[in-house]
Amino acid sequence: MAWFIRSKTPKEKLKVKKINIPEGLWLKCDSCKEIIYKTELDRNFRVCPKCSFHHRMNAYERIILLTDDESFVEKDTGIYPEDPLRFRDVKRYKERLKTYTKKTGIKDAVVCGEGTLNGRNVQICAMEFGFMGGSMGSVVGEKITRAIERAVNKKNPFITVSCSGGARMQEGILSLMQMAKTSVALAQLSEAKVPYISVLADPVTGGVTASFAMLGDVIIAEPGALVGFAGPRVIEQTIKQKLPEGFQRAEFLLEHGMIDMVVHRKELKNIIDKLLTLLR
Amino acid sequence: MAGQYLDFEEPIIELEKKIAELKSLSKNNGVDFSGEIRRLHRKANRLKDSLLSRLTRWQRTQLARHPSRPYAMDYISMMTEDFMELHGDRHFGDCHSIVGGIARLEEWSVFIIGHQKGRDLKEKMYRNFGMPQPEGYRKALRLMKFAEKFGKPIITLLDTPGAYPGIGAEERGQAEAIARNLIEMANISVPIIVVVIGEGGSGGALALGVGNRVLMLEHSVYSVISPEGCAAILWEDCKKVEEAAEALCLTSDDLFKLGVIDEIIKEPLGGAHRNPAATAGILRRVLRRHLQELTSIPPKDLVEQRREKFRNMGAFKER
């Protein structure tokens, strides 16, 4: 039966054969693996036109998505991290900071400022997952707190787009305290009766979920976003079981009453606008 | 509680054994060893003092998790009278990793809420190793609002490896429960005194930790992540716990220097587990002092002071 085996080989080869794509022009969808034209993906808010998978956006893309053209003014750009613990694991924290600043062009994992959303003034904070996994240290905590304080003073609706692995280990207990700091600031926002819309983008876990991200008056998640307190790996290790399909995804959270809605990225701005109009 | 000790405590245990032997010898044989015993006692005290002051941060972490270290219920029974435990979050269930209730502490009726670990295997499982479910945090919040309604001060005792990472906990909103406590504790108009008595494990501890005063027992720790978790993530090697503990700066001295806590509560020689009653006595006196100060502050100022305190936390530069 030697002929039978031979005939199978070329087929297998065909399967693993790499398709040569010029860098940057064509992309492979992270979910359905279809080849997408990059311009088409960008025009579609980085949502796969074939399977609707929401690819990650950087902080500025987030802000462009939610604010009117050229309305955004970035605030608190002068704040940058220091290394209070002189933290060192396999690499120095200072070194890591430099690497990520170079990579992302920003000083820490959040971009904050004010702009208009369909003509209405808003305070907006978007987290940058590309900067140390969007982790929250003193700078992220301070910038978000200041944005909340501006929202209180100017009576501007407050919007966050969270995308973070949680509190930043390299600033130790000070990172943990940022959870309290941002939540305490939100208590003031609530007293001032200023609306807070929290948008959850894949992924949000740990200290960010367990503080401001879950405290929105309205909580909106993107389709398929992973949202949880503990990461799936930690849970699997703890309970020594495989997790069910779809566990901790946006749709799962909606089903369990933890969020208000799951919204496609192209609808996001209009949905927030509608909510804010109704709340006015 | 005796019988369990950590390897670095061994010299102390040896000496204490010797002292006990000599004591029984002199009792049975009528020989006077009192001079020798006194000498050994002094040596043991010196040893306790020097041993504990030379510990690494990882050893301090082990001490904070010492199997004989007093837990919340031990302090409650030693410090207060008429403790009435209250149960349930009124939504789903009663979490046994968090205990709470009303008690009399000196001249005050206070609400005491704390994480509770278990002593033997059966109790450990009953207490879920001190790792609360969302119901625990919701029970705590219910009790805090109850305290506020009747103008009673709140004392929280922190001692947990962290909030429980399980399927049910996620389904019922572990993150939301913690976040809710953080924002609600910013609004409570009665004094809140937070004491880290053992292991202050990340968000699971902080969820009871937004107070007007945050105190730590000398040999407790408080950290954003456990040294084990940190080693696994940053070093990708579970064995690097010593390095991780060192880097995390999680001891009471570290936190005092970082401005996160208000006061370190000195423990008796050798640590709280060597003399729980004395530790409870010290803690009661410290709590009395803070209660005296805080109960004279108007409710509005209490809220203001607590918010201001956490507003200022963090270290960054600006230009």
Side-chain angles (χ1 to χ4, degrees), chain A:
Chain A
M1 296 292 274
W3 57 274
F4 186 70
I5 297 163
R6 260 201 311 276
S7 76
K8 224 179 168 185
T9 345
K11 256 190 196 164
E12 271 173 23
K13 260 191 189 155
L14 200 72
K15 243 200 227 153
V16 291
K17 200 177 139 191
K18 256 199 174 163
I19 300 166
N20 231 347
I21 318 160
E23 196 63 44
L25 214 55
W26 295 88
L27 296 166
K28 202 194 236 176
C29 171
D30 290 341
S31 173
C32 68
K33 310 290 178 206
E34 286 280 336
I35 308 295
I36 335 160
Y37 187 39
K38 187 175 177 295
T39 322
E40 198 188 345
L41 185 69
D42 286 344
R43 223 182 299 137
N44 203 30
F45 315 103
R46 299 189 54 74
V47 176
C48 173
K50 306 259 168 52
C51 73
S52 270
F53 177 75
H54 285 52
H55 287 84
R56 199 165 284 151
M57 287 177 118
N58 70 34
Y60 288 108
E61 288 170 329
R62 287 281 169 199
I63 282 164
I64 292 167
L65 177 74
L66 295 179
T67 54
D68 304 334
D69 280 351
E70 315 215 331
S71 72
F72 181 71
V73 182
E74 193 174 345
K75 297 278 183 186
D76 302 315
T77 49
I79 304 179
Y80 60 103
E82 61 176 324
D83 181 12
L85 310 185
R86 296 167 177 276
F87 195 95
R88 180 183 193 155
D89 47 89
V90 287
K91 222 173 157 188
R92 280 180 198 283
Y93 177 39
K94 278 213 165 123
E95 286 300 312
R96 282 188 199 268
L97 286 172
K98 263 188 214 152
T99 313
Y100 283 103
T101 303
K102 217 168 164 188
K103 193 178 126 198
T104 58
I106 53 177
K107 295 192 194 87
D108 211 312
V110 72
V111 174
C112 305
E114 51 192 44
T116 60
L117 188 152
N118 291 358
R120 158 198 301 106
N121 287 323
V122 293
Q123 297 294 331
I124 182 166
C125 301
M127 301 191 81
E128 177 54 64
F129 195 79
F131 195 106
M132 295 187 79
S135 56
M136 173 160 67
S138 299
V139 172
V140 172
E142 177 69 20
K143 283 176 84 167
I144 288 175
T145 303
R146 287 194 193 182
I148 296 168
E149 286 165 351
R150 277 196 301 276
V152 171
N153 293 335
K154 298 186 175 180
K155 297 261 175 198
N156 290 161
F158 179 58
I159 301 166
T160 57
V161 184
S162 298
C163 186
S164 167
R168 184 174 299 167
M169 288 173 280
Q170 288 87 344
E171 290 184 29
I173 193 75
L174 292 174
S175 297
L176 188 72
M177 291 303 141
Q178 303 310 306
M179 293 168 63
K181 177 166 163 172
T182 51
S183 304
V184 166
L186 285 173
Q188 276 174 284
L189 189 75
S190 184
E191 267 170 16
K193 303 198 191 320
V194 173
Y196 168 32
I197 314 284
S198 172
V199 178
L200 312 176
D202 184 67
V204 198
T205 56
V208 171
T209 330
S211 62
F212 64 88
M214 288 306 288
L215 293 173
D217 293 311
V218 178
I219 306 177
I220 303 172
E222 288 197 338
L226 180 93
V227 179
F229 173 66
R233 243 188 318 160
V234 176
I235 300 174
E236 275 184 352
Q237 279 165 11
T238 310
I239 62 171
K240 311 226 173 348
Q241 278 173 42
K242 211 108 192 79
L243 294 171
E245 182 74 22
F247 179 67
Q248 291 185 314
R249 295 289 167 186
E251 298 72 17
F252 172 95
L253 266 85
L254 184 67
E255 195 55 41
H256 284 90
M258 290 304 146
I259 58 174
D260 292 284
M261 47 184 107
V262 178
V263 174
H264 190 288
R265 204 173 272 165
K266 67 170 187 252
E267 310 278 348
L268 197 53
K269 188 176 177 184
N270 285 332
I271 293 278
I272 295 175
D273 178 47
K274 247 191 211 167
L275 281 167
L276 294 178
T277 307
L278 290 167
L279 283 170
R280 198 162 39 191

Side-chain angles (χ1 to χ4, degrees), chain A residues 146 149 181 191 230 248, chain B residues 170 307 311 313 317-318:
Chain A
R146 287 194 193 182
E149 286 165 351
K181 177 166 163 172
E191 267 170 16
Q248 291 185 314
Chain B
E170 294 288 329
R307 289 182 181 183
R311 170 66 186 86
M313 285 193 187
K317 292 183 211 158
E318 191 167 16

Side-chain angles (χ1 to χ4, degrees), chain B residues 95-215:
Chain B
C95 170
H96 304 140
S97 314
I98 290 183
V99 294
I102 327 173
R104 181 153 294 277
L105 191 142
E106 312 259 328
E107 67 250 51
W108 298 277
S109 291
V110 295
F111 277 67
I112 300 194
I113 302 161
H115 300 99
Q116 179 66 28
K117 294 178 176 177
R119 207 55 80 186
D120 54 36
L121 184 63
K122 205 171 148 201
E123 203 204 343
K124 277 190 169 87
M125 290 183 47
Y126 179 73
R127 299 292 182 191
N128 197 28
F129 299 85
M131 294 186 283
Q133 303 276 355
E135 296 76 62
Y137 298 113
R138 292 182 180 131
K139 168 167 73 178
L141 182 57
R142 177 176 79 84
L143 295 180
M144 287 191 253
K145 293 202 163 174
F146 185 8
E148 182 182 35
K149 183 169 158 186
F150 291 92
K152 306 295 181 204
I154 299 163
I155 294 163
T156 64
L157 304 174
L158 275 48
D159 188 16
T160 177
Y164 186 64
I167 292 184
E170 294 288 329
E171 286 175 334
R172 300 191 301 277
Q174 187 71 286
E176 193 275 344
I178 295 171
R180 186 66 49 203
N181 279 18
L182 300 182
I183 191 170
E184 292 291 345
M185 285 181 91
N187 293 327
I188 299 280
S189 61
V190 292
I192 303 177
I193 304 173
V194 177
V195 190
V196 187
I197 56 168
E199 207 181 356
S202 194
L206 181 67
L208 303 181
V210 184
N212 296 90
R213 299 276 194 277
V214 181
L215 321 172

